Amino acid sequence: MALALNDKVLTEAFGPSEGTALRVKQAAMVVLGIAFLAIMAKIKVPMWPVPITMGTFAVLTIGATYGPRLGLVTILGYLIIGALGFDVFAGSAADNAGLTYMMGGTGGYLVGYVLATLALGFAARAGWDRSVLMMGVALLIANALIYLPGVAWLSVLYGNSLTWAVEVGLVPFLIGDALKLGLAALLVPGLWKLIGNARS
C-alpha cells in the first residue's frame, strides 16, 4: 500500500515509490548513508571545550530523513563495516579499529546510535519532522538515547562512578551537541518546506 504524503519521511517524498525501482533507490540510499556517516565521523570542528565531531549530526539526520526501517539498515550496515575493521568511526584508525575499538570507550555511544536512529525514524513517521519545535523535541530524545548507554558503558568499562562518567562523557559535549541539534532541527523541516514549495 502506498503511503500518503503526510505519512512519509523525507526520503520517501521523491523518486520511485514501488517495485524494483524503489528497491534500487533504497539500496542506493543505504550506501550513500553509510558513506555519509563515515565521512562526517571524521570531520572535527574546533570548539571549546572539545571539538565538535559531526558523526552524531549524521546519525541524527539519517534517522530523521530515512525513517525507522531504512535508517536501521543503514546504521547497522555502518556498524558492521566498522566491526570488520574499516576506519569509519570518529576515533578509529588503522591500528585501532574493528571490534577492539567498538568495545572501548565509544562502544556505548555506538549502541546509542542505533536507538537514536530508530527513535527519530518513528518520530519522523509520525510527522514530527515537519515542525522545527517537534523536530527539536525528537532530537533531544534521540540525543539522550545516545548518551544513556554511552555514559553507562564508560562507567562500567573504567570502573568509575556514573558521576565521573557524566563529567567526562557528557558535559564537555553539551555545547557542540546543542549546535548540532539546532542545525538538524532547522534543516529537516526546511527541506520539507522546499519540497512543498516545489510541488505548489
Side-chain angles (χ1 to χ4, degrees):
M1 179 185 295
L3 292 170
L5 182 60
N6 59 355
D7 294 328
K8 291 181 178 180
V9 296
L10 192 61
T11 56
E12 295 167 345
F14 61 88
S17 59
E18 59 185 3
T20 302
L22 171 62
R23 301 305 174 207
V24 171
K25 171 192 161 183
Q26 290 173 329
M29 295 298 297
V30 170
V31 172
L32 289 172
I34 291 171
F36 178 60
L37 286 162
I39 292 168
M40 295 297 280
K42 296 298 183 182
I43 297 176
K44 295 184 178 180
V45 180
M47 182 68 184
W48 180 91
V50 293
I52 299 175
T53 56
M54 297 303 293
T56 307
F57 176 76
V59 170
L60 297 175
T61 51
I62 290 286
T65 58
Y66 275 35
R69 186 165 61 179
L70 195 61
L72 179 62
V73 171
T74 303
I75 195 69
L76 290 179
Y78 170 68
L79 294 177
I80 289 169
I81 288 173
L84 292 173
F86 292 92
D87 181 13
V88 295
F89 301 127
S92 60
D95 59 345
N96 181 28
L99 290 174
T100 301
Y101 175 83
M102 295 176 75
M103 293 302 294
T106 309
Y109 299 100
L110 296 177
V111 172
Y113 281 2
V114 177
L115 301 177
T117 299
L118 282 172
L120 279 168
F122 284 116
R125 181 71 74 207
W128 290 26
D129 58 341
R130 315 299 174 92
S131 157
V132 172
L133 177 60
M134 295 306 294
M135 189 75 257
V137 172
L139 288 164
L140 284 173
I141 294 170
N143 216 44
L145 290 173
I146 293 174
Y147 278 110
L148 284 171
V151 168
W153 177 241
L154 281 179
S155 178
V156 171
L157 183 65
Y158 296 106
N160 287 326
S161 68
L162 275 175
T163 301
W164 170 85
V166 168
E167 289 175 353
V168 301
L170 170 61
V171 174
F173 304 99
L174 289 177
I175 296 175
D177 281 353
L179 294 174
K180 286 183 282 188
L181 264 62
L183 178 60
L186 293 171
L187 176 64
V188 178
L191 290 173
W192 269 118
K193 187 174 181 180
L194 284 175
I195 290 174
N197 289 340
R199 291 183 173 181
S200 61

